[in-house]
Every structure is written in C-alpha cells, then in structure tokens.
Amino acid sequence: MNYSFFRISQGNGFVYVESVFKAHSENHSLIKNKFSEEIDIQKITSIWFNGGAIDLNDSYKNNSSELNQLLFQNLNIIIDGVLEAKKIKKIGNTKNNKKTNKIYNLLAAKNVGLQIPETLITTSKEKLLRFIKTHNKFQFICKRINESSNFIEKKYLFDNSKTFLLTKNELEKLPDNFGLSFFQQRIKKKFEIRSIYFDNKFYSSAIFDNQDNVDYRVSLQNLDNKPRIVPYVLPKKIKKKLKSLLQILNYTYCSIDLLYTNDGRYVFLEINPCGQVGYINSACNYYLEEEISKYLKNESK
C-alpha cells in the first residue's frame, strides 16, 4: 500500500493560510510553501517531530528583525498547537524539541541513579580554579548551556555549539568574572555510546575515537581516520535507569550520549529529543528509517 507524505524543513519558507475551528464540525488548518499545494494539517495521520521550526515565507518578512521574530513565533505557536492537539501517532513532540533543558536532564539522570560527570556552573575564575584544584587529577571541558548554536554581536558571528577542552592557556586568559559558564570533568573512557531510543527500544552503538577528541563528532569529519562505530547492547540495569529518566522527561524518541570508562562505569552525558539517526544507523545497519516508517504507517509489531 502506498502512503502520501511530505517533509517540512525550516528553510522551506511556509505561508500560513488559515485555521478554522468550529464548535460542532471538523476543523481545518492550511499551510503551503513554494514547493507544495495547500496542505491541510487536519488530514495528517501521523507525524515525526525531528527538531527545528517552520520558517516564514519571504513574502511575510520585512526590514524589522523584531517584527519578523514575532511573526515567526506566531506562526509556530499556531501550527504547534494544531499538531499537538491532534490525536494521531507521533514520534516526539514540539515541546520537547524546543524546550529541552540540559541542566534539568542532567539532574534528573542523577536522581534515577545514573552517574554524571563532576560539574560546575559559575561566573567566577576563583571558584573555577578552586574546583579544578579539588579535582587535580582530571582535565575539564566547557559546554554550552543554551541549545542555540550561535549569535551575532557587532557584525561578528559567535559559534556556541562546540564543547572544548579547558587548557592552561585559556585559564590564564580568563578574567576574574565572566559570563555564566558550564564546566565538567573530562572523563577518560574506553569508548563513547550513542543510543537512539524509539518505540520502547534502544538502538545503541559504541564509538571508538582514535583521535581522542573532546567531541567525537569532530573526528567524523576526518575522512582518513574516522571513529570506528559498532553495534552495542546496553546492560539491563542501565536500560532500566534510562527508561525511568525518559518517563520523567516524557520522551518517546531521543538520542542519549554516555561514556564507558576505563574502570568499567557508565556515565550519562546528555540527551537530545531530536537526535539524528543517520550515521549511527548506517554504521550499525539498524534500518531505523524502515522501523520509523512502519511505526508511522501503523505496521510495526
């Protein structure tokens, strides 16, 4: 049986047409872009929320960035509300995709019994140096707090997406007080684990990075020495704790990052409600696209 589908990407530039909600008859909400005819959202029978937002069409935009932002927010509030209210099969949801909180997730993981790295959030160089001295056997990294990847200030674009090692040189350059920052112990590991959670199952992989980068995704860009990625089965006790965490967070789909340490411990790093499946799926032959398709078509077992 053939199924009709369409993909809404952030760069498509959608035009909102109308929504009509009636007291005693069927609702309808129409959107369209330059690639499609009008799409009636009410006729959608299943949906996969996989991050991003619906962008404005150029015909809606004007010279005011503040007004454009307001129009963008209005468009997404309406469409998110219509989609969330529909009683259909869904993978993920718009609330989790847009409002994930790295700090809350970390504390929730600790509360269900998962190990987490030693962490400091501060604006003080003195407190940071004291924290490092207390843990003098370890290196430390700096991570972003906000999920926004960049910002523009005085015509410069600042990339906020990278996790980086805190070196002695960088410590010396730090002023006595700085912007609120998120520091964590860098844990020595045998390998990293990326696990995709979907339909009550974990599709996990072990990632061996010969380059020992702070973030293995940097190594993925090196065509001559890419990390080795193999299928991996998480222990039952770790799966149980992760499921408890996912129940608290109300996640039905996500990617989870962990470390397996040199001394045999599993350490939780972070969780992403719209994690990408591509490179893990290809490396491990999980055929996740097929499983997701079956789920959305109500063909999964």
Side-chain angles (χ1 to χ4, degrees), residues 2-217:
N2 294 322
Y3 289 82
S4 297
F5 72 93
F6 62 92
R7 173 180 174 176
I8 297 177
S9 297
Q10 186 157 344
N12 286 168
F14 269 76
V15 173
Y16 179 74
V17 180
E18 66 175 2
S19 282
V20 179
F21 308 138
K22 298 182 179 181
H24 302 293
S25 60
E26 187 175 335
N27 304 322
H28 75 263
S29 297
L30 304 176
I31 58 172
K32 72 181 296 296
N33 71 357
K34 61 184 178 182
F35 303 112
S36 69
E37 300 296 326
E38 290 184 355
I39 299 166
D40 189 347
I41 296 177
Q42 298 299 335
K43 293 182 179 180
I44 295 172
T45 57
S46 60
I47 188 167
W48 179 14
F49 299 102
N50 197 31
I54 296 178
D55 203 1
L56 288 171
N57 186 279
D58 288 339
S59 63
Y60 274 11
K61 295 180 180 179
N62 55 67
N63 294 328
S64 169
S65 59
E66 290 82 4
L67 180 56
N68 285 336
Q69 182 64 21
L70 176 63
L71 294 172
F72 169 80
Q73 290 172 349
N74 288 345
L75 174 65
N76 280 274
I77 286 171
I78 294 168
I79 294 174
D80 290 353
V82 171
L83 291 174
E84 284 290 339
K86 286 183 64 62
K87 304 299 182 183
I88 58 174
K89 205 158 198 178
K90 301 171 186 174
I91 301 173
N93 65 63
T94 59
K95 293 177 184 176
N96 287 343
N97 285 356
K98 295 175 183 176
K99 295 185 179 180
T100 183
N101 187 311
K102 193 186 297 283
I103 308 305
Y104 176 73
N105 294 350
L106 190 68
L107 294 173
K110 180 182 177 181
N111 288 339
V112 300
L114 290 164
Q115 292 191 39
I116 63 172
E118 295 286 333
T119 301
L120 174 69
I121 300 171
T122 188
T123 62
S124 167
K125 182 177 182 178
E126 179 185 354
K127 291 180 179 179
L128 174 59
L129 291 173
R130 193 185 310 151
F131 185 69
I132 292 173
K133 186 176 180 180
T134 305
H135 303 83
N136 59 6
K137 293 182 180 179
F138 302 105
Q139 294 178 310
F140 284 83
I141 58 175
C142 185
K143 304 173 74 171
R144 64 180 176 176
I145 298 172
N146 194 311
E147 290 303 309
S148 299
S149 59
N150 56 60
F151 65 94
I152 298 174
E153 177 71 21
K154 295 181 180 179
K155 297 183 179 180
Y156 290 97
L157 176 65
F158 293 84
D159 185 356
N160 190 38
S161 64
K162 305 299 182 186
T163 297
F164 61 89
L165 186 66
L166 196 61
T167 65
K168 183 178 179 181
N169 185 46
E170 285 163 338
L171 274 172
E172 290 174 350
K173 290 180 179 179
L174 276 177
D176 291 339
N177 294 285
F178 44 81
L180 193 62
S181 300
F182 179 20
F183 304 100
Q184 279 189 329
Q185 166 196 349
R186 187 189 186 192
I187 298 172
K188 294 294 184 181
K189 82 273 185 183
K190 285 188 176 180
F191 52 85
E192 296 189 45
I193 299 167
R194 165 62 67 98
S195 186
I196 305 295
Y197 178 78
F198 165 66
D199 199 16
N200 206 35
K201 299 175 186 175
F202 292 96
Y203 298 85
S204 303
S205 59
I207 303 166
F208 298 86
D209 183 8
N210 295 326
Q211 300 176 64
D212 196 33
N213 281 309
V214 172
D215 188 336
Y216 71 84
R217 289 171 295 187

Side-chain angles (χ1 to χ4, degrees), residues 192-195 216-217 255-259 267-271 279:
E192 296 189 45
I193 299 167
R194 165 62 67 98
S195 186
Y216 71 84
R217 289 171 295 187
S255 65
I256 304 163
D257 291 329
L258 307 106
L259 295 179
V267 180
F268 173 88
L269 297 180
E270 59 185 43
I271 190 167
Y279 65 95

Side-chain angles (χ1 to χ4, degrees), residues 248-273:
I248 292 170
L249 300 178
N250 193 30
Y251 285 3
T252 57
Y253 168 87
C254 63
S255 65
I256 304 163
D257 291 329
L258 307 106
L259 295 179
Y260 184 73
T261 68
N262 291 336
D263 56 355
R265 295 177 296 117
Y266 290 87
V267 180
F268 173 88
L269 297 180
E270 59 185 43
I271 190 167
N272 184 345

Side-chain angles (χ1 to χ4, degrees), residues 204-206 229-233 283-286:
S204 303
S205 59
I229 303 175
V230 296
Y232 188 76
V233 179
C284 299
N285 294 320
Y286 280 136

